Amino acid sequence: DQQVKQNSPSLSVQEGRISILNCDYTNSMFDYFLWYKKYPAEGPTFLISISSIKDKNEDGRFTVFLNKSAKHLSLHIVPSQPGDSAVYFCAASANSNSGYALNFGKGTSLLVTP
Amino acid sequence: GAGVSQTPSNKVTEKGKYVELRCDPISGHTALYWYRQSLGQGPEFLIYFQGTGAADDSGLPNDRFFAVRPEGSVSTLKIQRTERGDSAVYLCASSLYGDTEAFFGQGTRLTVV
């Protein structure tokens, strides 16, 4: 049962343009959402997060938006750079017996072309 | 190094053999997680340690899988009687207690032939 869904397996964007990666979730108990970036043969690297009490968090070129009523979040990267090409995972957690164990989506492969 | 370290990076084993995968978390991180990532999927939770004890092992797929963290630092994931379906990347992550951001190791790619 996939509680976090990333429906776009891949996305191609031109350098300098905006990249928008989307994520949907089903569990209303999730209270923390994170985006991880992953290069081949490396572990996921934390990028940005947002608490459920907020609707926006910004860090440099990266902004995450949360729409709780729609159970939807998105990651905006602007301007996109070739070095941003990677797989992006959306993840969600809720404090529970498993600490802050993360529920991941399947990932979106972003390609930024020069 | 200062990050999460996993060894080996790659492990090829024959079906039916026993394997151990090691994770060295970031010093001082009391929370430790194991995940498994199959091809084309996101990482899936296996087990969570808070200190030395396994607080939640509900993600372990069956009783062939076991993990320990005897001194509250290094953890070992053990898989008995490996099957081809166990082939995946096994990821370890650690965090400070109560912290939502976890730091991942580079993973161990396990291939069962």
Side-chain angles (χ1 to χ4, degrees):
Chain A
D1 180 27
Q2 194 83 18
Q3 298 186 70
V4 177
K5 298 178 183 178
Q6 294 176 257
N7 293 319
S8 297
S10 62
L11 176 67
S12 183
V13 171
Q14 213 166 15
E15 181 179 8
R17 303 281 183 125
I18 184 170
S19 295
I20 300 176
L21 294 91
N22 293 301
C23 178
D24 297 289
Y25 62 96
T26 58
N27 188 343
S28 58
M29 298 301 290
F30 289 145
D31 56 9
Y32 211 75
F33 304 89
L34 306 90
W35 285 92
Y36 279 81
K37 177 179 178 180
K38 187 180 183 303
Y39 293 115
E42 295 184 11
T45 302
F46 171 76
L47 194 57
I48 192 170
S49 62
I50 188 167
S51 162
S52 61
I53 62 173
K54 297 187 175 182
D55 56 17
K56 177 182 175 181
N57 188 26
E58 190 172 352
D59 183 2
R61 297 186 297 114
F62 303 91
T63 303
V64 56
F65 295 91
L66 175 63
N67 182 334
K68 281 187 66 178
S69 61
K71 294 191 177 69
H72 177 83
L73 63 155
S74 60
L75 174 67
H76 292 210
I77 307 173
V78 55
S80 301
Q81 300 173 353
D84 295 331
S85 298
V87 177
Y88 289 78
F89 289 99
C90 173
S93 70
N95 194 7
S96 67
N97 290 337
S98 49
Y100 285 101
L102 297 169
N103 294 267
F104 284 89
K106 292 186 177 183
T108 296
S109 180
L110 174 66
L111 177 64
V112 180
T113 57
Chain B
V4 178
S5 176
Q6 291 186 246
T7 53
S9 299
N10 285 283
K11 175 71 177 178
V12 180
T13 190
E14 291 181 347
K15 178 176 178 292
K17 299 288 189 182
Y18 167 83
V19 295
E20 289 189 350
L21 311 180
R22 176 188 168 107
C23 172
D24 278 273
I26 293 172
S27 178
H29 281 192
T30 56
L32 186 146
Y33 304 84
W34 283 97
Y35 293 84
R36 178 168 73 172
Q37 185 177 13
S38 301
L39 194 63
Q41 304 294 317
E44 295 177 314
F45 168 75
L46 295 177
I47 187 169
Y48 160 62
F49 287 91
Q50 183 55 249
T52 60
D56 184 355
D57 63 359
S58 62
L60 295 178
N62 52 61
D63 61 6
R64 295 186 297 105
F65 288 75
F66 190 71
V68 295
R69 196 186 184 198
E71 297 177 357
S73 178
V74 171
S75 177
T76 304
L77 178 65
K78 309 180 180 194
I79 310 174
Q80 299 177 326
R81 304 183 304 279
T82 51
E83 299 177 357
R84 292 198 179 87
D86 298 335
S87 297
V89 175
Y90 289 81
L91 293 161
C92 175
S94 71
S95 69
L96 292 168
Y97 176 72
D99 202 350
T100 52
E101 179 187 335
F103 296 84
F104 282 82
Q106 84 282 8
T108 294
R109 179 174 296 278
L110 175 67
T111 303
V112 182
V113 297

